[in-house]
Amino acid sequence: MDDRERIRLKMRRLRRQLDHYSSEWSAQACRWLDWKFQVSQHPLLSVGIAAAAGYLLIPGKKAPVRVELDEATRKEIVKQLQIQQFKEPISQSPAVPTLWQTGVTIASQLLLRSAINYGVSQIDRLMNAERTVTETESPETMHSVYHEIDPHSSLEHDNDIHLYQRT
């Protein structure tokens, strides 16, 4: 191989290495400019930078403006405010209930709820009692006759024997 061929071969190798390195460097530069990558790699530093940026972006309080008025101007302003105050209709703010009214309201709601619950339980009891009577009665028991004998009287009187029949 002569010197020219060796130089050309070295140049090709250098170009390939430059292509490889340039693509690698551009990928690394993109990674370094990606804010998601930076936050994942440096979370505490990211939070600190965000806090500092927020502190710098929020404007500070402005100093209050102090106006010096003479006595005549101050009296005139107060007079105008009083006149304006009486011209405007007085708005009716809703009345705040007293402690007694609040207690009475709570007690009445509790009583109402208790009465409703008692009524519902009584209706439920009646419906369950009716349901159990109809469920326990069979065709044999519906036509059976029950005899009840009074133990204080003799068996001679028909009035002492009571016949009950369920219908």
Side-chain angles (χ1 to χ4, degrees):
M1 231 193 244
D2 63 343
D3 288 336
R4 287 185 197 175
E5 281 298 315
R6 248 186 275 140
I7 292 173
R8 284 184 190 152
L9 187 61
K10 271 186 171 181
M11 290 296 284
R12 269 190 228 132
R13 222 179 292 139
L14 283 173
R15 283 188 192 123
R16 268 189 261 134
Q17 286 176 350
L18 282 176
D19 286 341
H20 175 71
Y21 290 139
S22 67
S23 63
E24 198 175 286
W25 290 336
S26 68
Q28 189 174 4
C30 287
R31 204 173 326 128
W32 278 101
L33 293 176
D34 184 22
W35 67 271
K36 292 178 184 176
F37 175 76
Q38 293 301 323
V39 169
S40 68
Q41 294 298 314
H42 311 286
L44 293 178
L45 180 63
S46 301
V47 169
I49 290 172
Y55 177 76
L56 293 174
L57 291 175
I58 295 175
K61 289 185 179 181
K62 295 179 181 177
V65 178
R66 191 147 176 93
V67 179
E68 296 294 327
L69 298 175
D70 60 356
E71 191 63 29
T73 309
R74 190 186 65 74
K75 286 182 180 180
E76 183 64 29
I77 290 173
V78 168
K79 183 179 173 184
Q80 291 295 327
L81 286 174
Q82 287 174 345
I83 291 171
Q84 184 181 3
Q85 181 181 11
F86 290 116
K87 284 184 180 178
E88 293 179 3
I90 299 173
S91 64
Q92 292 291 332
S93 62
V96 178
T98 63
L99 185 61
W100 172 253
Q101 291 170 334
T102 305
V104 169
T105 303
I106 291 172
S108 64
Q109 288 177 354
L110 285 173
L111 284 173
L112 180 63
R113 286 184 184 181
S114 298
I116 290 172
N117 286 338
Y118 179 75
V120 167
S121 67
Q122 291 301 315
I123 291 171
D124 189 42
R125 185 185 60 81
L126 288 174
M127 290 178 71
N128 284 337
E130 183 177 308
R131 191 177 322 142
T132 55
V133 166
T134 57
E135 288 173 357
T136 57
E137 288 182 350
S138 64
E140 299 89 28
T141 59
M142 288 182 70
H143 297 294
S144 64
V145 177
Y146 295 96
H147 299 282
E148 184 177 299
I149 301 174
D150 187 10
H152 300 295
S153 64
S154 65
L155 292 175
E156 296 176 1
H157 302 289
D158 286 334
N159 291 341
D160 293 337
I161 299 175
H162 303 283
L163 300 176
Y164 296 97
Q165 182 176 8
R166 286 189 187 166
T167 56

